[in-house]
Amino acid sequence: MGICSIPALAKICQKIEHSLSTTLPFEDADGDKFSVFPTLRGFYWRGRDCNDRNRNIYPGRRPENWDAQQDSNCNGIWGIDPKDGIPYEKKFCEGSEAKGLIVLGDSAAAHFHIPPEWLIAAHMSVKTFSNLPMALSNELDWPQFSGTTGFLNSTSGSPDRSIYLRLRQRNRCNHRDYQSVSKNGASSKNLLKFMGSLSRNQLLDQPAIVIYTMLGNDVCNGNIDSVSKMTTPEDMRAHVMETLTFLNSRLPPGSHVVLYGLADGRFLWDHLHDRYHPLGQLNRDVTYTQLYDFLSCLQVNPCQGWMSSNETLRTLTSERAKQLSNVLEKIAASEKFANMSLLYLDYPFKEMSEEWQRRGGQTWQLIEPADGFHPNEVASRLAAKFFWEKVLQRWPHVLGKENPFNHEIERLFGDQGGH
Amino acid sequence: LSDGHSCIGCVLMVSIVEQLVQVHNSTTQEEMERLCSYLPEKLFLKSICYLTAEMFGPDIIKLLNLKMNADVVCHALQFCKQEAGQPLCHLYNPPQEGLKRALSRARKIIQHSPSLTIPGGL
């Protein structure tokens, strides 16, 4: 019953527990916070280490001696052009405004996902559960497909790429420079406990775009008296200022922090309440209303405020979310930091829904079917599209220039060592 | 994991077994084995599944054969617990005879089951 009580496994259990609580990679021989192992906070979460025996080699650092001898920043560009003796990294990346992407977020940012086929008896086979161990060792998150740091091809057929892939396409020197410091249940308050796992050296590394995205856990909880447990605007301001002070102490000059507003989760109930949950599709006997009530009764509802039949509570939750978003917007407009600029964006659910309908879809198809709560892969990638378009339109300097050598890099270095 | 999560896990598993029986027009025993056979060996998932089926399978078979639903099975097996002063939590619509009566019937059927006396409980 307690597998970790077996002496031979106790040590590995402790190591896994440490990895989960600190959000640091389980397998990281040189301790540089980057890994060659995919799961357990490895390279599905932050760019793959290209040398796990040297703590001075990791994604996102400024190249050492223009990477003439070795690829010190793991972007796949290294060596010297024999024609003129100039290192390729200098030739292609110098002055290119290379930068990384860091996400401080919650389960939506980490892309929490329970595949519906795990719950639908009619479609089950050995293949259905082949990805279960991977999902379990990633806390049921799939950051490798997320709209923020996702780097693998979409499984949903979504044509929209993640923010990281767009940043990489804009400048191939950014290859592998991503970090997802996201955790299920993260809020403005508990982020302070694990944001130390962020890896950025102010002196040695490239600047970064940090996306702060906590879509709902400041107003979401499983308490019967949900409203009294929500973050207050005053607390929100204090928590965010603490996070920003920390970031300012870590980020290299020229970095940018984009504060994302909270979602208005009323769409969950509005679009799902009378639909059938995957478990109820065979016999038409489990609706999302039943699922929400069941979770509330067990006091494990991830968001009593929005996943509820009580309309007044849903409205109150949205009002508080709006107040907290206003706090973020005010901070972005009024606070100044030496090493980073602050920007604010609303969570674009309305635009996402309209765009999806334009493409022939329906709004409910943007919500994770198994949990009836999280944005699914299509929604995450749509959010990435709107993020990119807005930033490009309002603050193009944040994304850096388009690298004119991208084709040359691709021709010479192919997939740059992959991800 | 809280008691609530254990309850959800049980209701999910029992529901899936129940639906596999329906889809394959087969027996509960066969479908529990089928479900375990689908799971990968990694992380001991298959072994854990077979062990769980060994421990709770006989009771689940008895109760599902009597057309009891996943809520009733999981309450009877004590994966779902009713907290004092709280309602009896259920995912499915209660059976015609009522949830309490069905549960009391289920408890009687498995009252001497060895799975209810596992050291340390569930």
Side-chain angles (χ1 to χ4, degrees):
Chain A
M1 296 296 280
I3 203 160
C4 289
S5 60
I6 300 169
L9 296 177
K11 210 159 191 184
I12 202 165
C13 283
Q14 275 174 10
K15 219 176 146 194
I16 290 173
E17 215 173 296
H18 180 258
S19 162
L20 296 180
S21 63
T22 57
T23 69
L24 283 168
F26 166 75
E27 188 82 52
D28 178 15
D30 57 12
D32 61 5
K33 299 185 181 175
F34 292 88
S35 177
V36 292
F37 192 71
T39 59
L40 290 167
R41 297 279 163 177
F43 69 79
Y44 280 179
W45 296 84
R46 41 182 101 196
R48 184 153 60 94
D49 203 345
C50 50
N51 184 341
D52 205 18
R53 299 202 172 273
N54 184 340
R55 61 178 305 144
N56 295 317
I57 295 178
Y58 56 88
R61 65 160 292 163
R62 288 205 304 271
E64 191 180 21
N65 194 22
W66 291 112
D67 284 3
Q69 307 302 325
Q70 60 177 350
D71 187 13
S72 68
N73 56 11
C74 302
N75 69 358
I77 304 167
W78 69 286
I80 296 170
D81 189 343
K83 281 186 235 152
D84 50 19
I86 300 171
Y88 288 115
E89 180 87 32
K90 184 173 170 65
K91 201 175 235 185
F92 298 147
C93 299
E94 187 179 24
S96 75
E97 301 178 355
K99 55 193 71 195
L101 180 74
I102 300 173
V103 180
L104 301 178
D106 51 18
S107 50
H111 189 30
F112 184 89
H113 169 63
I114 296 172
E117 53 272 24
W118 290 357
L119 308 178
I120 299 175
H123 303 160
M124 275 179 194
S125 67
V126 171
K127 205 177 157 213
T128 309
F129 295 102
S130 59
N131 48 15
L132 181 60
M134 180 276 294
L136 289 177
S137 49
N138 267 344
E139 303 150 60
L140 291 176
D141 294 323
W142 305 61
Q144 69 276 29
F145 295 113
S146 72
T148 50
T149 59
F151 58 89
L152 293 181
N153 286 337
S154 162
T155 52
S156 61
S158 166
D160 303 305
R161 278 165 296 119
S162 71
I163 298 171
Y164 160 70
L165 285 178
R166 287 166 193 263
L167 204 59
R168 176 183 180 268
Q169 193 189 28
R170 194 170 177 82
N171 183 356
R172 305 281 299 208
C173 299
N174 295 331
H175 178 68
R176 286 198 196 170
D177 194 359
Y178 62 88
Q179 293 179 51
S180 181
V181 184
S182 309
K183 201 175 164 98
N184 299 339
S187 65
S188 68
K189 188 179 181 183
N190 63 31
L191 168 66
L192 304 171
K193 289 184 195 160
F194 68 89
M195 67 183 174
S197 70
L198 179 147
S199 167
R200 214 68 181 176
N201 185 308
Q202 215 154 35
L203 299 174
L204 296 178
D205 298 348
Q206 303 283 12
I209 302 171
V210 178
I211 304 175
Y212 177 97
T213 170
M214 302 290 172
L215 289 188
N217 291 321
D218 282 284
V219 294
C220 287
N221 58 68
N223 283 78
I224 296 168
D225 183 15
S226 181
V227 178
S228 72
K229 303 287 178 191
M230 292 176 187
T231 305
T232 63
E234 294 74 28
D235 284 345
M236 183 77 175
R237 185 180 163 76
H239 300 153
V240 174
M241 286 307 294
E242 199 174 330
T243 300
L244 294 175
T245 305
F246 167 82
L247 288 175
N248 192 48
S249 72
R250 294 288 179 98
L251 297 179
S255 296
H256 306 277
V257 178
V258 182
L259 301 173
Y260 233 132
L262 281 78
D264 178 353
R266 278 179 291 193
F267 63 83
L268 297 173
W269 174 268
D270 294 345
H271 292 283
L272 287 183
H273 73 276
D274 54 357
R275 299 196 65 82
Y276 290 110
H277 183 264
L279 215 51
Q281 281 168 13
L282 184 68
N283 298 313
R284 298 180 163 264
D285 54 359
V286 180
T287 62
Y288 282 94
T289 302
Q290 283 166 269
L291 173 74
Y292 292 172
D293 287 346
F294 182 51
L295 297 177
S296 298
C297 180
L298 294 171
Q299 299 183 34
V300 293
N301 189 327
C303 196
Q304 186 77 29
W306 280 322
M307 296 160 76
S308 158
S309 50
N310 181 338
E311 191 182 350
T312 311
L313 177 60
R314 297 199 304 270
T315 306
L316 279 172
T317 308
S318 290
E319 282 170 3
R320 178 63 64 87
K322 182 71 192 152
Q323 288 169 3
L324 300 185
S325 295
N326 289 342
V327 169
L328 293 173
E329 194 170 6
K330 273 187 192 157
I331 289 175
S334 60
E335 298 295 336
K336 297 277 175 270
F337 290 88
N339 296 321
M340 61 208 204
S341 71
L342 296 183
L343 312 159
Y344 171 83
L345 282 176
D346 280 320
Y347 183 67
F349 186 77
K350 193 165 170 278
E351 288 130 298
M352 286 156 56
S353 166
E354 285 167 359
E355 173 66 20
W356 186 238
Q357 285 175 33
R358 255 197 302 278
R359 295 184 192 178
Q362 290 178 281
T363 304
W364 62 267
Q365 293 166 329
L366 298 174
I367 306 166
E368 273 292 313
D371 59 47
F373 179 45
H374 291 94
N376 65 10
E377 197 183 307
V378 173
S380 306
R381 301 242 169 171
L382 274 173
K385 168 187 151 69
F386 286 108
F387 174 94
W388 187 264
E389 286 172 359
K390 280 180 192 172
V391 174
L392 199 57
Q393 191 188 12
R394 295 183 200 171
W395 314 289
H397 64 282
V398 168
L399 305 174
K401 296 182 293 196
E402 198 156 349
N403 190 334
F405 298 109
N406 282 337
H407 289 298
E408 195 70 359
I409 295 170
E410 221 173 320
R411 190 181 63 78
L412 276 167
F413 298 101
D415 72 352
Q416 296 175 250
H419 284 94
Chain B
L1 292 177
S2 69
D3 286 349
H5 291 107
S6 307
C7 176
I8 294 169
C10 175
V11 171
L12 277 179
M13 289 304 114
V14 174
S15 300
I16 291 168
V17 169
E18 206 180 351
Q19 293 186 16
L20 282 170
V21 169
Q22 206 180 329
V23 167
H24 295 109
N25 196 18
S26 173
T27 66
T28 306
Q29 168 84 38
E30 279 171 337
E31 294 313 313
M32 277 195 293
E33 280 170 18
R34 186 193 300 269
L35 180 59
C36 291
S37 76
Y38 287 161
L39 296 179
E41 303 272 4
K42 268 189 188 172
L43 302 180
F44 308 104
L45 292 171
K46 200 186 281 268
S47 310
I48 291 169
C49 183
Y50 281 121
L51 185 66
T52 311
E54 185 100 350
M55 286 161 72
F56 302 104
D59 294 336
I60 295 173
I61 292 167
K62 269 186 222 162
L63 297 174
L64 287 185
N65 286 350
L66 291 168
K67 302 286 170 221
M68 301 206 170
N69 72 17
D71 292 321
V72 177
V73 172
C74 292
H75 273 286
L77 289 173
Q78 298 177 20
F79 281 98
C80 299
K81 288 169 187 162
Q82 185 180 13
E83 302 293 331
Q86 297 295 317
L88 205 60
C89 301
H90 58 94
L91 179 63
Y92 294 90
N93 285 329
Q96 265 189 341
E97 62 182 316
L99 197 54
K100 277 191 176 168
R101 183 169 286 188
L103 181 55
S104 141
R105 209 153 56 85
R107 280 180 180 143
K108 271 184 199 150
I109 293 164
I110 60 163
Q111 63 184 332
H112 300 300
S113 165
S115 68
L116 298 177
T117 56
I118 291 166
L122 293 172

